[in-house]
Amino acid sequence: MEFFNKNKSLPYLSGRFFDGISSGLFMMALPWIMLATPNMGSFVAMVALTCTAVSFFLTPFFSTLIDRHSRKALLIWVQVIQAITAAALFIVYWFELGSPWILAAAQLVYWVSSNLGWSTNNAFTQENYDRHEYASISGKQEIIMQGTTLGAGALGVVLLEKWGMLEFAAFAAIAAGIATLSYIVTPYRRQLRQSRNSSFVDQLKESKDIFTQAPRFYGFLMLSALSYPILTYLGKLVPIWFAETGVSGDWLAGYNIAFGLGSLITGLFVAKLLSLHNHMNTIVYSMAIAAFAVVGMSFSPHPVYLLAFTLAFGFFNALNRIARTNWMHHTIAVEQRGRADGGLQMFATLVQSISYVVIALLSHYGLTQYGFILAALTMLGAVFVMRFLAMNSSQDQNFAPIN
């Protein structure tokens, strides 16, 4: 245990590694196996819509939990739930009772718990590390996450084509189990000591006040957070488009690898990149370049060109997210971080829900290819508004809260 106290990032990053493998297998690969059944594009989109709707309504409660309880304990419980879900899927397929509805239920559990884990990790990082460590640990987290989550998604597609659901579920359950043990031994410098004089309901109601105190700051962050629903939107649009046009699963694996590789490269250089400009300018230019990458994806005549633009999108999408997360580390009070992330997550989830309705309609009417153009126009519109807010921020001393 003394070794872990001197190297506190080692068990934590190990937990992120195996967490990413387990989550990546379920979040990226399960939709592809559903699409193996003909005419399942609309079903996959509606499953994603259901997942986002449930996440949306649970987010205020989850974010308040993060600001009241041990963030380390929450990380552990998320992994326990995911390990049990993967093990249950193994048992179901062992008795040959599997169906698309069973897969949809498993994806729902992973989706909701992963959202809780994501916000908890952000708050845990801010609480457990010092200011000068944020950029460095963010780079390591990005390398771990992209080397596992999206890499595991690509691996999961291959495993499902080479293996069966039994091997797939067992692999995911073991990965979640190892992540659980890694988080258990991670040293935790707990700063949050919530007073019991403030009830859960009162603290939940305070969430609104957090955002009204700096509306333009959080408006800017919300527009930046559009990159996440755009990412998940493309994550559903691309496999449907490939399935409809007869593109093999190997290209889908390549898409996941290209995005993951781009984001992984960001992790290698993010500390240097964050030092070149302030967080706000970094967010604006990275969001703009990511938008133009989506424009390139919309006009790609062959999957290989789409993968090239995906690499660029992955790089600048990750840079935008890391810059936003680090800016929040420096500006938002540690006791409010869960609810601040929760508000951004609710906005992103709402946009996700709308995007999946759009995908379902495009797939139904045979217009899937136009989905790329819609995504690009949305991002470009957000960039123009963000640029306007950034220009006015220099004249407003109260633009951002001070931690």
Side-chain angles (χ1 to χ4, degrees):
M1 200 65 185
E2 182 180 351
F3 173 78
F4 291 137
N5 287 329
K6 293 180 179 179
N7 301 272
K8 64 178 181 179
S9 294
L10 182 60
Y12 174 57
L13 293 176
S14 174
R16 294 299 303 267
F17 177 84
F18 288 102
D19 176 9
I21 290 177
S22 179
S23 299
L25 287 173
F26 270 77
M27 300 296 287
M28 297 293 177
L30 283 189
W32 183 251
I33 198 64
M34 295 182 204
L35 290 169
T37 303
N39 303 317
M40 289 294 285
S42 296
F43 176 80
V44 170
M46 294 310 295
V47 168
L49 174 61
T50 301
C51 292
T52 55
V54 173
S55 294
F56 180 84
F57 288 110
L58 290 178
T59 293
F61 302 96
F62 285 167
S63 60
T64 305
L65 282 176
I66 294 171
D67 283 346
R68 289 182 65 86
H69 298 286
S70 165
R71 287 148 182 180
K72 175 180 174 177
L74 291 176
L75 290 176
I76 293 170
W77 277 109
V78 166
Q79 292 309 303
V80 169
I81 291 170
Q82 293 186 354
I84 292 174
T85 301
L89 191 64
F90 176 88
I91 295 172
V92 167
Y93 273 84
W94 178 271
F95 290 101
E96 300 181 350
L97 299 175
S99 71
W101 290 101
I102 295 294
L103 296 178
Q107 187 176 7
L108 174 63
V109 174
Y110 258 80
W111 192 302
V112 173
S113 61
S114 292
N115 280 345
L116 172 59
W118 181 267
S119 294
T120 303
N121 267 305
N122 287 339
F124 178 88
T125 299
Q126 180 179 353
E127 185 178 21
N128 208 38
Y129 290 87
D130 297 320
R131 287 174 175 267
H132 68 276
E133 298 177 298
Y134 289 151
S136 176
I137 191 64
S138 293
K140 295 174 182 176
Q141 287 174 325
E142 191 66 23
I143 294 171
I144 291 293
M145 185 179 70
Q146 299 306 333
T148 56
T149 303
L150 294 169
L155 174 63
V157 173
V158 175
L159 291 180
L160 286 171
E161 292 185 350
K162 304 294 183 182
W163 292 356
M165 280 303 302
L166 288 176
E167 294 87 350
F168 175 85
F171 191 32
I174 293 171
I178 297 175
T180 302
L181 296 175
S182 297
Y183 286 138
I184 288 174
V185 300
T186 297
Y188 180 33
R189 182 188 62 184
R190 186 174 182 182
Q191 301 178 42
L192 185 66
R193 290 288 185 266
Q194 176 61 40
S195 171
R196 295 305 175 185
N197 294 328
S198 179
S199 69
F200 183 92
V201 174
D202 289 339
Q203 203 167 2
L204 181 63
K205 292 178 179 178
E206 290 172 2
S207 301
K208 179 181 177 182
D209 296 334
I210 294 174
F211 289 87
T212 56
Q213 289 172 359
R216 283 183 288 177
F217 169 73
Y218 282 106
F220 182 93
L221 293 181
M222 285 181 180
L223 290 173
S224 168
L226 278 174
S227 62
Y228 177 71
I230 292 294
L231 166 62
T232 56
Y233 169 85
L234 293 174
K236 295 294 180 292
L237 184 72
V238 170
I240 292 174
W241 172 238
F242 281 0
E244 289 178 352
T245 55
V247 176
S248 71
D250 291 339
W251 283 108
L252 178 61
Y255 167 82
N256 289 325
I257 291 173
F259 181 90
L261 181 59
S263 301
L264 190 148
I265 295 172
T266 304
L268 293 174
F269 299 103
V270 70
K272 177 63 176 179
L273 292 171
L274 290 178
S275 68
L276 297 177
H277 303 279
N278 62 45
H279 290 104
M280 183 182 294
N281 288 335
T282 301
I283 290 170
V284 171
Y285 81 70
S286 59
M287 186 83 163
I289 299 175
F292 283 110
V294 178
V295 173
M297 293 170 67
S298 67
F299 291 103
S300 297
H302 188 275
V304 69
Y305 298 109
L306 186 144
L307 264 58
F309 284 111
T310 299
L311 182 71
F313 176 77
F315 182 93
F316 288 101
N317 176 78
L319 181 58
N320 166 56
R321 172 169 42 75
I322 294 173
R324 179 178 66 251
T325 301
N326 276 265
W327 196 19
M328 294 175 71
H329 288 338
H330 287 279
T331 54
I332 298 173
V334 67
E335 63 271 12
Q336 296 180 346
R337 183 55 189 274
R339 287 166 292 170
D341 270 320
L344 299 185
Q345 187 174 325
M346 287 186 69
F347 172 75
T349 303
L350 178 62
V351 177
Q352 272 184 307
S353 301
I354 297 172
S355 73
Y356 293 143
V357 173
V358 172
I359 291 177
L361 292 174
L362 292 172
S363 177
H364 178 74
Y365 290 106
L367 301 172
T368 305
Q369 67 271 24
Y370 293 105
F372 295 100
I373 298 176
L374 289 175
L377 291 176
T378 300
M379 291 190 73
L380 288 172
V383 168
F384 283 116
V385 178
M386 290 166 63
R387 183 58 183 166
F388 173 78
L389 292 173
M391 291 174 62
N392 289 338
S393 69
S394 60
Q395 304 173 357
D396 185 0
Q397 295 181 349
N398 297 320
F399 177 79
I402 300 176
N403 185 359

